[in-house]
Amino acid sequence: MQKEQKRELELIAARIRKYGLQAVKDANSGHIGGSFSIAEILSVLYFDKMRIEPKDPRNPDRDRLVLSKGHCTPAAYAALAMRGFFPLEDLSTFRKIDSYLSGHMEMNEVPGVDMSTGSLGQGLSAGIGMALAARVDKKDYRTYVILGDGEIEEGQVWEAAMFAGNHGLDHLIAIVDYNKLQVDGSLEEVNSPCPIADKFEAFKWEVLTIDGNDVEQVADALERAMAVRGKPVAVIADTVKGKGVSIFEGGVKWHGNRPNEEEYRTAFGELDQRIRELEES
C-alpha cells in the first residue's frame, strides 16, 4: 500500500470515530466501544475495497455488507455519510424518535444498508443468503459480514458457518471484530468462543488473522480473501475496544455507556489531534 493511501484511510478512520462520537453525544446514547474498534475495517471496506455506488445504493451488482453487530451504528452511519449515501448533517439526528438513523441498522430506512440487524447471531445467515443468490444469479459481487466476538457465542453463527463451508461460498468474507470484550465483561468471563480460527477452519473456511486496527493489514487480508476459491474466508481481526481514545481503549464500560462532559472533551481533543497529525503528515 502506498504511503498516501495508508494516510488517507487512517484519516477516514479517525473521522469515522469523531463523527460517531458526535452522534452519540447528540443522542445522549449509543455504542462507542465496538464502533471504534471497527473504524479501520469500515474505512478500508467503504473507501477502498467494496464495489458500491452511493447514487445507486440498490444496484444489483454491488458488493454487500452485513453489519451483524448491528448496534455499532455510530461508526457505520459515519462511514455511510462520509461515502455519500446521505448528508453528514443527518448524523445529528441519530436515535431521535423521528429520525431514520435508529440505534440499529434498518435496510428499508437507511441508504447503503443491505440488511437490518441488531438481534445478534443472525447476520452471517443473511450474508449466506446473499452469497447463494449471487451464485444462482451468476453474479460476481461479494458479501462481507462483520461479526462481534461476543456475538459468535450464538449457536446460529456456527450452523451458518457449517453451511457456508460445506457449500464452498467463496464470495463470502466474514470479519470477526476480536476486541475481546462484550457487554457483560471479557470473553473469558462470559462464554469464550476461542479458539476462533480453529473453529472456522474446522468448518472448511480459509482463515486469516490480522491486526484489525491496521489499515494496511486489513486491506492486504481482504485482497488475499478475494483471491480464495472454493471456500469462504474468515478474517479474525484483532482489535482494541474503544480504539483511538485513551480513556475508552480496553474498557468494557464503553460497550454502551455514554461519556460525561469531561470525558467527551478528552475524547474529542485526542481525535482532533490525531486528525491534525494525519492531515499535516
Side-chain angles (χ1 to χ4, degrees):
M1 178 180 288
Q2 296 295 319
K3 180 179 178 181
E4 178 58 29
Q5 184 186 19
K6 181 178 180 181
R7 185 194 71 87
E8 183 62 26
L9 291 172
E10 289 175 342
L11 182 57
I12 290 167
R15 287 173 174 160
I16 285 172
R17 291 187 174 101
K18 183 179 179 181
Y19 285 130
L21 183 62
Q22 185 62 57
V24 171
K25 187 175 190 297
D26 291 339
N28 200 29
S29 178
H31 295 79
I32 292 172
S35 291
F36 278 28
S37 60
I38 62 170
E40 282 80 13
I41 294 167
L42 293 174
S43 175
V44 173
L45 283 170
Y46 279 115
F47 292 86
D48 184 32
K49 298 305 179 191
M50 288 180 64
R51 296 182 306 175
I52 48 176
E53 178 49 64
K55 294 181 180 178
D56 186 15
R58 293 299 182 189
N59 188 307
D61 296 320
R62 74 190 185 281
D63 287 342
R64 274 73 166 166
L65 174 61
V66 178
L67 183 65
S68 191
K69 44 180 283 178
H71 52 284
C72 292
T73 44
Y77 290 160
L80 286 166
M82 291 172 63
R83 190 66 174 81
F85 283 94
F86 53 85
L88 274 169
E89 52 264 31
D90 286 6
L91 292 174
S92 65
T93 72
F94 175 58
R95 281 185 175 249
K96 301 293 194 298
I97 191 65
D98 57 350
S99 174
Y100 65 101
L101 300 178
S102 61
H104 294 79
M105 305 293 269
E106 293 189 53
M107 62 186 292
N108 294 322
E109 299 292 335
V110 186
V113 173
D114 293 308
M115 186 65 203
S116 299
T117 54
S119 295
L120 295 176
Q122 298 179 4
L124 186 57
S125 297
I128 285 170
M130 296 173 188
L132 280 172
R135 175 177 290 179
V136 170
D137 294 338
K138 295 181 171 53
K139 300 282 188 179
D140 66 351
Y141 64 77
R142 288 183 172 82
T143 300
Y144 300 87
V145 181
I146 300 178
L147 297 146
D149 53 1
E151 174 188 11
I152 64 173
E153 294 163 7
E154 298 273 2
Q156 182 175 338
V157 172
W158 300 108
E159 293 176 34
M162 177 170 56
F163 182 94
N166 281 332
H167 291 270
L169 296 180
D170 55 13
H171 274 46
L172 176 68
I173 300 172
I175 304 169
V176 179
D177 177 26
Y178 181 42
N179 63 38
K180 296 160 283 292
L181 296 171
Q182 57 191 109
V183 64
D184 291 324
S186 70
L187 297 186
E188 293 299 326
E189 292 171 318
V190 181
N191 188 29
S192 175
C194 298
I196 299 170
D198 291 353
K199 288 182 172 65
F200 276 102
E201 287 177 349
F203 286 120
K204 307 173 187 174
W205 289 57
E206 185 78 13
V207 179
L208 306 172
T209 301
I210 63 166
D211 179 346
N213 294 133
D214 182 319
V215 294
E216 196 164 11
Q217 289 194 37
V218 173
D220 178 66
L222 293 180
E223 281 294 320
R224 286 187 286 155
M226 286 184 246
V228 171
R229 295 292 178 267
K231 60 172 69 173
V233 180
V235 178
I236 314 303
D238 193 342
T239 64
V240 176
K241 193 137 185 165
K243 177 70 174 178
V245 173
S246 61
I247 60 172
F248 297 159
E249 289 187 355
V252 69
K253 68 174 286 187
W254 299 113
H255 179 89
N257 284 358
R258 56 186 182 274
N260 60 34
E261 285 302 317
E262 182 180 351
E263 290 164 337
Y264 273 123
R265 284 195 295 271
T266 298
F268 280 118
E270 291 185 13
L271 291 171
D272 281 337
Q273 181 179 350
R274 174 62 172 161
I275 289 169
R276 284 196 302 272
E277 289 172 351
L278 288 166
E279 288 175 337
E280 294 169 3
S281 65

PDB file of all heavy atoms in Angstrom, residues 24 27 34-35 38 42 61 74 84 97 101 114 117 163 171 186 197 201 213 218 238 272 274:
ATOM      1  N   VAL A  24     -23.209  10.163  19.074  1.00  0.00           N
ATOM      2  CA  VAL A  24     -23.553   9.635  20.400  1.00  0.00           C
ATOM      3  C   VAL A  24     -23.809  10.788  21.372  1.00  0.00           C
ATOM      4  O   VAL A  24     -24.752  10.747  22.169  1.00  0.00           O
ATOM      5  CB  VAL A  24     -22.430   8.711  20.920  1.00  0.00           C
ATOM      6  CG1 VAL A  24     -22.664   8.336  22.374  1.00  0.00           C
ATOM      7  CG2 VAL A  24     -22.347   7.448  20.063  1.00  0.00           C
ATOM      8  N   ALA A  27     -27.176  12.339  20.656  1.00  0.00           N
ATOM      9  CA  ALA A  27     -28.278  11.449  21.027  1.00  0.00           C
ATOM     10  C   ALA A  27     -28.307  11.148  22.520  1.00  0.00           C
ATOM     11  O   ALA A  27     -29.318  10.668  23.029  1.00  0.00           O
ATOM     12  CB  ALA A  27     -28.171  10.137  20.261  1.00  0.00           C
ATOM     13  N   GLY A  34     -17.447  -0.821  20.556  1.00  0.00           N
ATOM     14  CA  GLY A  34     -17.427  -1.684  19.379  1.00  0.00           C
ATOM     15  C   GLY A  34     -17.490  -0.928  18.072  1.00  0.00           C
ATOM     16  O   GLY A  34     -17.126  -1.468  17.021  1.00  0.00           O
ATOM     17  N   SER A  35     -17.947   0.323  18.107  1.00  0.00           N
ATOM     18  CA  SER A  35     -17.906   1.165  16.914  1.00  0.00           C
ATOM     19  C   SER A  35     -16.468   1.591  16.624  1.00  0.00           C
ATOM     20  O   SER A  35     -16.005   1.544  15.481  1.00  0.00           O
ATOM     21  CB  SER A  35     -18.785   2.407  17.095  1.00  0.00           C
ATOM     22  OG  SER A  35     -20.157   2.073  17.120  1.00  0.00           O
ATOM     23  N   ILE A  38     -13.966  -1.027  15.022  1.00  0.00           N
ATOM     24  CA  ILE A  38     -14.082  -1.408  13.600  1.00  0.00           C
ATOM     25  C   ILE A  38     -13.881  -0.238  12.649  1.00  0.00           C
ATOM     26  O   ILE A  38     -14.139  -0.364  11.449  1.00  0.00           O
ATOM     27  CB  ILE A  38     -15.436  -2.087  13.303  1.00  0.00           C
ATOM     28  CG1 ILE A  38     -16.625  -1.141  13.589  1.00  0.00           C
ATOM     29  CG2 ILE A  38     -15.563  -3.390  14.074  1.00  0.00           C
ATOM     30  CD1 ILE A  38     -17.959  -1.673  13.085  1.00  0.00           C
ATOM     31  N   LEU A  42     -14.093  -0.499   8.506  1.00  0.00           N
ATOM     32  CA  LEU A  42     -15.082   0.235   7.706  1.00  0.00           C
ATOM     33  C   LEU A  42     -14.406   1.171   6.710  1.00  0.00           C
ATOM     34  O   LEU A  42     -14.863   1.313   5.567  1.00  0.00           O
ATOM     35  CB  LEU A  42     -16.011   1.026   8.617  1.00  0.00           C
ATOM     36  CG  LEU A  42     -16.934   0.205   9.518  1.00  0.00           C
ATOM     37  CD1 LEU A  42     -17.696   1.123  10.471  1.00  0.00           C
ATOM     38  CD2 LEU A  42     -17.913  -0.627   8.697  1.00  0.00           C
ATOM     39  N   ASP A  61     -25.630  -5.316  -8.813  1.00  0.00           N
ATOM     40  CA  ASP A  61     -24.266  -5.826  -8.956  1.00  0.00           C
ATOM     41  C   ASP A  61     -23.317  -5.330  -7.866  1.00  0.00           C
ATOM     42  O   ASP A  61     -22.121  -5.637  -7.897  1.00  0.00           O
ATOM     43  CB  ASP A  61     -23.705  -5.436 -10.325  1.00  0.00           C
ATOM     44  CG  ASP A  61     -24.477  -6.079 -11.462  1.00  0.00           C
ATOM     45  OD1 ASP A  61     -24.844  -7.264 -11.329  1.00  0.00           O
ATOM     46  OD2 ASP A  61     -24.718  -5.401 -12.484  1.00  0.00           O
ATOM     47  N   PRO A  74     -22.971   4.064  15.296  1.00  0.00           N
ATOM     48  CA  PRO A  74     -22.233   5.337  15.251  1.00  0.00           C
ATOM     49  C   PRO A  74     -21.121   5.335  14.208  1.00  0.00           C
ATOM     50  O   PRO A  74     -20.959   6.313  13.460  1.00  0.00           O
ATOM     51  CB  PRO A  74     -21.687   5.464  16.680  1.00  0.00           C
ATOM     52  CG  PRO A  74     -22.701   4.771  17.522  1.00  0.00           C
ATOM     53  CD  PRO A  74     -23.130   3.584  16.685  1.00  0.00           C
ATOM     54  N   GLY A  84     -21.101   9.252   1.104  1.00  0.00           N
ATOM     55  CA  GLY A  84     -22.044   9.961   0.258  1.00  0.00           C
ATOM     56  C   GLY A  84     -23.423   9.356   0.145  1.00  0.00           C
ATOM     57  O   GLY A  84     -24.211   9.775  -0.706  1.00  0.00           O
ATOM     58  N   ILE A  97     -36.420  10.238  17.802  1.00  0.00           N
ATOM     59  CA  ILE A  97     -37.638   9.453  17.581  1.00  0.00           C
ATOM     60  C   ILE A  97     -38.150   9.578  16.157  1.00  0.00           C
ATOM     61  O   ILE A  97     -38.754   8.644  15.614  1.00  0.00           O
ATOM     62  CB  ILE A  97     -38.749   9.870  18.596  1.00  0.00           C
ATOM     63  CG1 ILE A  97     -39.910   8.883  18.565  1.00  0.00           C
ATOM     64  CG2 ILE A  97     -39.208  11.298  18.343  1.00  0.00           C
ATOM     65  CD1 ILE A  97     -39.574   7.490  19.014  1.00  0.00           C
ATOM     66  N   LEU A 101     -32.236   7.337  11.234  1.00  0.00           N
ATOM     67  CA  LEU A 101     -30.984   6.766  11.719  1.00  0.00           C
ATOM     68  C   LEU A 101     -31.192   6.211  13.135  1.00  0.00           C
ATOM     69  O   LEU A 101     -30.796   6.806  14.132  1.00  0.00           O
ATOM     70  CB  LEU A 101     -29.882   7.827  11.711  1.00  0.00           C
ATOM     71  CG  LEU A 101     -29.561   8.431  10.336  1.00  0.00           C
ATOM     72  CD1 LEU A 101     -28.492   9.504  10.467  1.00  0.00           C
ATOM     73  CD2 LEU A 101     -29.122   7.350   9.344  1.00  0.00           C
ATOM     74  N   ASP A 114     -27.592  -2.894   3.752  1.00  0.00           N
ATOM     75  CA  ASP A 114     -28.048  -4.057   2.994  1.00  0.00           C
ATOM     76  C   ASP A 114     -28.854  -5.053   3.809  1.00  0.00           C
ATOM     77  O   ASP A 114     -29.512  -5.928   3.248  1.00  0.00           O
ATOM     78  CB  ASP A 114     -26.843  -4.781   2.382  1.00  0.00           C
ATOM     79  CG  ASP A 114     -26.148  -3.953   1.324  1.00  0.00           C
ATOM     80  OD1 ASP A 114     -26.830  -3.479   0.400  1.00  0.00           O
ATOM     81  OD2 ASP A 114     -24.914  -3.761   1.429  1.00  0.00           O
ATOM     82  N   THR A 117     -30.172  -5.328  11.135  1.00  0.00           N
ATOM     83  CA  THR A 117     -29.515  -6.169  12.132  1.00  0.00           C
ATOM     84  C   THR A 117     -29.632  -5.542  13.512  1.00  0.00           C
ATOM     85  O   THR A 117     -30.030  -4.406  13.664  1.00  0.00           O
ATOM     86  CB  THR A 117     -28.022  -6.366  11.796  1.00  0.00           C
ATOM     87  OG1 THR A 117     -27.395  -5.088  11.629  1.00  0.00           O
ATOM     88  CG2 THR A 117     -27.836  -7.193  10.535  1.00  0.00           C
ATOM     89  N   PHE A 163     -22.747 -24.440   7.098  1.00  0.00           N
ATOM     90  CA  PHE A 163     -23.394 -24.436   5.785  1.00  0.00           C
ATOM     91  C   PHE A 163     -22.489 -23.771   4.739  1.00  0.00           C
ATOM     92  O   PHE A 163     -22.305 -24.306   3.637  1.00  0.00           O
ATOM     93  CB  PHE A 163     -24.729 -23.697   5.873  1.00  0.00           C
ATOM     94  CG  PHE A 163     -25.511 -23.685   4.580  1.00  0.00           C
ATOM     95  CD1 PHE A 163     -26.469 -24.643   4.330  1.00  0.00           C
ATOM     96  CD2 PHE A 163     -25.270 -22.719   3.606  1.00  0.00           C
ATOM     97  CE1 PHE A 163     -27.186 -24.644   3.132  1.00  0.00           C
ATOM     98  CE2 PHE A 163     -25.966 -22.710   2.415  1.00  0.00           C
ATOM     99  CZ  PHE A 163     -26.937 -23.673   2.169  1.00  0.00           C
ATOM    100  N   HIS A 171     -17.449 -16.323  -2.332  1.00  0.00           N
ATOM    101  CA  HIS A 171     -17.642 -14.872  -2.440  1.00  0.00           C
ATOM    102  C   HIS A 171     -18.188 -14.303  -1.124  1.00  0.00           C
ATOM    103  O   HIS A 171     -18.733 -13.210  -1.093  1.00  0.00           O
ATOM    104  CB  HIS A 171     -18.580 -14.530  -3.607  1.00  0.00           C
ATOM    105  CG  HIS A 171     -17.851 -14.418  -4.914  1.00  0.00           C
ATOM    106  ND1 HIS A 171     -16.936 -15.341  -5.319  1.00  0.00           N
ATOM    107  CD2 HIS A 171     -17.876 -13.454  -5.880  1.00  0.00           C
ATOM    108  CE1 HIS A 171     -16.443 -14.976  -6.497  1.00  0.00           C
ATOM    109  NE2 HIS A 171     -16.987 -13.833  -6.839  1.00  0.00           N
ATOM    110  N   SER A 186     -15.322  -9.615  29.862  1.00  0.00           N
ATOM    111  CA  SER A 186     -14.427 -10.196  28.861  1.00  0.00           C
ATOM    112  C   SER A 186     -15.018 -11.490  28.312  1.00  0.00           C
ATOM    113  O   SER A 186     -15.889 -12.113  28.946  1.00  0.00           O
ATOM    114  CB  SER A 186     -13.061 -10.488  29.473  1.00  0.00           C
ATOM    115  OG  SER A 186     -13.157 -11.563  30.391  1.00  0.00           O
ATOM    116  N   ALA A 197     -10.209 -19.085  15.285  1.00  0.00           N
ATOM    117  CA  ALA A 197      -9.677 -19.510  13.985  1.00  0.00           C
ATOM    118  C   ALA A 197      -9.851 -21.012  13.781  1.00  0.00           C
ATOM    119  O   ALA A 197     -10.257 -21.468  12.705  1.00  0.00           O
ATOM    120  CB  ALA A 197      -8.203 -19.121  13.869  1.00  0.00           C
ATOM    121  N   GLU A 201     -11.834 -22.959  10.717  1.00  0.00           N
ATOM    122  CA  GLU A 201     -11.099 -23.933   9.902  1.00  0.00           C
ATOM    123  C   GLU A 201     -11.772 -25.297   9.933  1.00  0.00           C
ATOM    124  O   GLU A 201     -11.835 -25.999   8.913  1.00  0.00           O
ATOM    125  CB  GLU A 201      -9.658 -24.040  10.399  1.00  0.00           C
ATOM    126  CG  GLU A 201      -8.813 -22.828  10.031  1.00  0.00           C
ATOM    127  CD  GLU A 201      -7.403 -22.907  10.591  1.00  0.00           C
ATOM    128  OE1 GLU A 201      -7.144 -23.797  11.440  1.00  0.00           O
ATOM    129  OE2 GLU A 201      -6.567 -22.075  10.187  1.00  0.00           O
ATOM    130  N   ASN A 213      -6.834  -3.072  13.530  1.00  0.00           N
ATOM    131  CA  ASN A 213      -6.739  -1.618  13.621  1.00  0.00           C
ATOM    132  C   ASN A 213      -5.594  -1.078  12.788  1.00  0.00           C
ATOM    133  O   ASN A 213      -5.171   0.075  12.960  1.00  0.00           O
ATOM    134  CB  ASN A 213      -6.593  -1.171  15.077  1.00  0.00           C
ATOM    135  CG  ASN A 213      -7.821  -1.460  15.909  1.00  0.00           C
ATOM    136  OD1 ASN A 213      -7.718  -1.993  17.010  1.00  0.00           O
ATOM    137  ND2 ASN A 213      -8.998  -1.110  15.400  1.00  0.00           N
ATOM    138  N   VAL A 218      -5.566  -4.811   7.105  1.00  0.00           N
ATOM    139  CA  VAL A 218      -6.957  -5.072   6.709  1.00  0.00           C
ATOM    140  C   VAL A 218      -7.064  -5.152   5.188  1.00  0.00           C
ATOM    141  O   VAL A 218      -7.667  -6.086   4.630  1.00  0.00           O
ATOM    142  CB  VAL A 218      -7.899  -3.979   7.262  1.00  0.00           C
ATOM    143  CG1 VAL A 218      -9.312  -4.174   6.708  1.00  0.00           C
ATOM    144  CG2 VAL A 218      -7.921  -4.002   8.780  1.00  0.00           C
ATOM    145  N   ASP A 238      -7.893  -8.796  15.105  1.00  0.00           N
ATOM    146  CA  ASP A 238      -7.528  -8.497  16.495  1.00  0.00           C
ATOM    147  C   ASP A 238      -7.593  -6.978  16.678  1.00  0.00           C
ATOM    148  O   ASP A 238      -6.815  -6.240  16.071  1.00  0.00           O
ATOM    149  CB  ASP A 238      -6.115  -9.009  16.759  1.00  0.00           C
ATOM    150  CG  ASP A 238      -5.757  -9.025  18.235  1.00  0.00           C
ATOM    151  OD1 ASP A 238      -6.437  -8.338  19.023  1.00  0.00           O
ATOM    152  OD2 ASP A 238      -4.783  -9.706  18.594  1.00  0.00           O
ATOM    153  N   ASP A 272      -9.256  15.032  17.536  1.00  0.00           N
ATOM    154  CA  ASP A 272      -8.860  16.204  16.755  1.00  0.00           C
ATOM    155  C   ASP A 272      -7.349  16.239  16.558  1.00  0.00           C
ATOM    156  O   ASP A 272      -6.865  16.577  15.463  1.00  0.00           O
ATOM    157  CB  ASP A 272      -9.315  17.488  17.452  1.00  0.00           C
ATOM    158  CG  ASP A 272     -10.786  17.784  17.241  1.00  0.00           C
ATOM    159  OD1 ASP A 272     -11.355  17.284  16.243  1.00  0.00           O
ATOM    160  OD2 ASP A 272     -11.376  18.513  18.051  1.00  0.00           O
ATOM    161  N   ARG A 274      -5.308  13.661  16.500  1.00  0.00           N
ATOM    162  CA  ARG A 274      -4.959  12.606  15.539  1.00  0.00           C
ATOM    163  C   ARG A 274      -5.279  13.043  14.117  1.00  0.00           C
ATOM    164  O   ARG A 274      -4.481  12.828  13.194  1.00  0.00           O
ATOM    165  CB  ARG A 274      -5.742  11.335  15.900  1.00  0.00           C
ATOM    166  CG  ARG A 274      -5.582  10.186  14.905  1.00  0.00           C
ATOM    167  CD  ARG A 274      -4.159   9.709  14.815  1.00  0.00           C
ATOM    168  NE  ARG A 274      -4.059   8.493  14.002  1.00  0.00           N
ATOM    169  CZ  ARG A 274      -2.927   8.075  13.458  1.00  0.00           C
ATOM    170  NH1 ARG A 274      -1.794   8.738  13.634  1.00  0.00           N
ATOM    171  NH2 ARG A 274      -2.897   6.974  12.746  1.00  0.00           N
TER     172      ARG A 274
END
